[in-house]
Amino acid sequence: MSVRHKILLLDDDQDLLELYREMLARLPSRPEIHTATSGARAIALLESERFSLLISDLNMPKMDGLQVLTIVRRKFPQLRTAVMTSVVDTQFRARAYAMGIDLFLEKPNSNQEIAFFLDCIESLLGREMDTGFRGMQSKSLVDIIQLECLSQSSSVLKFTNGLLAGKIWFQYGELIDAETQDLGGEGAFREILSWKTGNFEILPADPERVRTIFNSYQGLLLESAQALDEAETPSASPVGAGTSGVAAESALAPLARFNGVEFVLSIRSTDSQIDSWGAENPERISQWVRQTLERFRALGDGLQAGQLNRIEGVGPQCCVALVSNADSDLCVGFHRSLSQDLVRETMDKISAKWAS
């Protein structure tokens, strides 16, 4: 008979507690949810009942989240702990991980962030499995690396796999270096990514680390996944050109290596054929690209503004740039952390490479 998990939510905002309670009620494991609005109340509940997980805010009056976590880690060493906060501070984050917490997340705002939050919490509640890494059961290295990048953290991830050990360095959400055994840079990253099980820990940031990796983490993950697939199926023949074709991916791969690029998609003008790299829903994106370009071209014609060259948009979820030539249209998605100036600068380089 499976044991129903108990989660304790700690936040001084009662309305947020009720909102998080509703979110966590969607979890497949159907945990029992308890709440506390102060650190003292949370510790009292932990002493009176057995909980599986504590999810704590950081910024609270009287006793803040870090103080609570310090007491909790000493008195309840087996309790899983997670931080969910609106305070985006690398020092807070480093201190929390140094205490041995399992997960550090920003408070979710969008549906995508809520789904990601729920997935992470469900993984913490899961039992130890034969695959995955300790700290996030059943999660692959890809999940762990993406978590570090999406949270725009500066840290060092240390992985162990039996007698093997490796490290990956991050600065403000960018993957800058890796090493394992006699390998360094991208070679070390690909080697570490091939490990299926093991343990990981998050170490404080190393601001003095020299950057050797300049490819975006999205491009590295995609290239590594493709290399692993090809290694497992060496006799597989290339798929025809299209959204999932090997040839199409290889053609766009160099454009995905620029800093901050999350996906690249091109649409051929003659037959509307789509090539994509990293796009989760290329058909939907391509439809939006065509409609957007048509509308802006019509607007340009009405204003007699001349030929449309490029469109750039910066939003809270992502940044997108569109560029068009006689043969095809190109759409590039960037990480939301990039400024408009950096998007423009990077897009200048991508456009030049694409044109060549």
Side-chain angles (χ1 to χ4, degrees):
M1 182 177 179
S2 60
V3 178
R4 188 182 181 191
H5 294 288
K6 285 186 179 182
I7 296 178
L8 177 58
L9 288 169
L10 171 58
D11 197 302
D12 60 319
D13 189 324
Q14 186 64 49
D15 292 337
L16 283 179
L17 285 178
E18 293 305 317
L19 177 61
Y20 299 150
R21 186 202 293 271
E22 293 178 6
M23 289 183 192
L24 293 168
R26 308 176 196 174
L27 292 175
S29 58
R30 300 295 180 188
E32 184 178 328
I33 314 296
H34 296 251
T35 63
T37 55
S38 70
R41 175 59 178 164
I43 293 171
L45 286 172
L46 291 172
E47 290 175 337
S48 63
E49 299 183 54
R50 184 179 179 85
F51 286 86
S52 304
L53 172 64
L54 167 67
I55 304 176
S56 176
D57 186 21
L58 283 184
N59 190 13
M60 295 182 294
K62 295 183 179 179
M63 185 185 299
D64 66 26
L66 291 178
Q67 291 174 308
V68 173
L69 289 169
T70 300
I71 297 171
V72 166
R73 298 311 298 163
R74 184 177 68 251
K75 299 186 69 171
F76 313 101
Q78 300 304 315
L79 177 69
R80 296 198 180 283
T81 52
V83 165
M84 185 165 60
T85 179
S86 57
V87 179
V88 184
D89 188 301
T90 56
Q91 290 185 343
F92 268 133
R93 192 175 186 280
R95 287 177 61 190
Y97 272 124
M99 292 176 184
I101 69 162
D102 292 277
L103 190 63
F104 189 105
L105 288 175
E106 293 181 41
K107 290 181 177 179
N109 294 310
S110 65
N111 290 334
Q112 182 180 6
E113 290 174 348
I114 291 173
F116 181 72
F117 161 70
L118 294 176
D119 184 50
C120 290
I121 296 301
E122 183 71 10
S123 74
L124 283 181
L125 295 175
R127 296 180 177 180
E128 292 282 349
M129 300 179 69
D130 293 334
T131 59
F133 283 74
R134 178 71 175 94
M136 292 185 70
Q137 291 76 13
S138 81
K139 290 300 177 184
S140 68
L141 281 175
V142 172
D143 298 313
I144 298 168
I145 291 166
Q146 286 181 324
L147 175 60
E148 290 301 291
C149 293
L150 290 172
S151 59
Q152 300 179 40
S153 66
S154 297
S155 62
V156 181
L157 288 185
K158 180 182 178 181
F159 300 95
T160 56
N161 178 23
L163 297 177
L164 301 175
K167 291 182 179 180
I168 299 176
W169 282 260
F170 298 87
Q171 283 186 3
Y172 304 109
E174 293 294 332
L175 196 157
I176 65 165
D177 195 15
E179 70 174 19
T180 180
Q181 310 308 109
D182 297 328
L183 298 174
E186 292 190 15
F189 177 81
R190 285 190 288 269
E191 174 64 23
I192 294 172
L193 205 68
S194 68
W195 300 349
K196 302 299 183 183
T197 61
N199 300 286
F200 83 97
E201 59 180 309
I202 300 180
L203 306 177
D206 181 4
E208 303 300 321
R209 189 71 182 184
V210 176
R211 183 165 193 170
T212 65
I213 297 177
F214 297 92
N215 193 353
S216 68
Y217 81 89
Q218 299 93 342
L220 282 170
L221 291 176
L222 288 166
E223 287 182 354
S224 299
Q226 182 180 350
L228 289 173
D229 288 342
E230 291 175 352
E232 292 174 359
T233 56
S235 61
S237 58
V239 185
T243 58
S244 61
V246 173
E249 289 186 343
S250 298
L252 294 177
L255 304 183
R257 294 183 179 180
F258 287 90
N259 181 34
V261 173
E262 292 191 332
F263 70 84
V264 184
L265 180 143
S266 68
I267 310 168
R268 199 157 62 191
S269 302
T270 54
D271 53 9
S272 297
Q273 179 175 302
I274 303 167
D275 295 338
S276 69
W277 178 272
E280 294 183 2
N281 194 336
E283 290 290 345
R284 184 175 177 182
I285 295 174
S286 66
Q287 183 179 8
W288 174 83
V289 169
R290 284 191 288 261
Q291 291 176 348
T292 301
L293 288 173
E294 287 174 2
R295 290 169 181 169
F296 273 89
R297 283 169 180 150
L299 177 62
D301 291 342
L303 297 174
Q304 297 182 345
Q307 183 178 354
L308 174 66
N309 292 318
R310 193 160 82 197
I311 302 172
E312 297 168 0
V314 179
Q317 299 300 321
C318 68
C319 307
V320 178
L322 309 179
V323 64
S324 181
N325 63 24
D327 301 322
S328 58
D329 302 316
L330 183 72
C331 175
V332 181
F334 296 90
H335 192 274
R336 64 181 181 179
S337 64
L338 267 66
S339 66
Q340 186 172 0
D341 289 340
L342 190 54
V343 168
R344 181 175 295 113
E345 178 184 337
T346 306
M347 199 59 196
D348 286 340
K349 299 175 183 177
I350 291 175
S351 298
K353 194 172 188 66
W354 183 51
S356 63

